[in-house]
Amino acid sequence: MSRHPEVLWAQRSDKVYLTVALPDAKDVSVKCEPQGLFSFSASGVQDESYSFSLELYGSIGPEGCKTKSGLRNILCSVQKGEKGWWKRLLKSEEKPAPYLKVDWNKWCDEDEESTSDLVSDDDSRFVDQDEGSSDDDGMLYLPDLEKARG
């Protein structure tokens, strides 16, 4: 039986970003079909099978779908068939599956979109980012005072 990995999503006017949280994934397979069907499958650490299919809100351009695998996740960039903001990710108006969540780290509102943001084709900077923060975030480096004295 196949399991569902956690999937985070965000959008821009021309793309949808799907981040699949699956550490050390093997045999990653992604299919994008023009009518808006996105399918994913992979094997996990202990050869567990993971897969899901999403019927996206709008059409997509299969030639503009890119996938990059990292150590902790797989980032999928899906080209929209027509430029514009979708009301939701899925065609269905029902509540989405519990494994599907908004990626607030990449989210931006329609009026906040800028060309310097995710719009570039360089999506590699988003692969394998830590979700949490380290204990040192925001801390200044202070020298060891004992060593400084002499």
Side-chain angles (χ1 to χ4, degrees), residues 75-146:
L75 179 69
C76 304
S77 172
V78 180
Q79 187 73 42
K80 291 181 179 179
E82 294 180 22
K83 194 170 181 172
W85 289 81
W86 292 352
K87 292 190 258 184
R88 55 187 175 274
L89 178 64
L90 304 177
K91 187 170 280 195
S92 169
E93 292 188 32
E94 296 175 11
K95 183 177 179 184
Y99 64 86
L100 194 57
K101 301 173 182 173
V102 172
D103 189 345
W104 295 113
N105 290 331
K106 294 185 186 116
W107 190 264
C108 105
D109 290 323
E110 192 171 348
D111 57 347
E112 295 174 348
E113 182 176 28
S114 70
T115 55
S116 64
D117 210 352
L118 291 178
V119 177
S120 74
D121 287 332
D122 182 21
D123 296 326
S124 60
R125 61 187 173 139
F126 297 104
V127 177
D128 199 29
Q129 281 187 338
D130 286 334
E131 290 298 317
S133 61
S134 73
D135 294 338
D136 296 334
D137 283 352
M139 299 295 288
L140 294 173
Y141 171 75
L142 297 175
D144 187 351
L145 295 178
E146 293 298 320

Side-chain angles (χ1 to χ4, degrees), residues 18 30-32 36-40 52-54 56 60 76 78:
L18 299 170
V30 172
K31 289 183 186 174
C32 295
L37 190 62
F38 177 89
S39 302
F40 173 91
F52 65 89
S53 289
L54 303 173
L56 300 175
I60 57 177
C76 304
V78 180

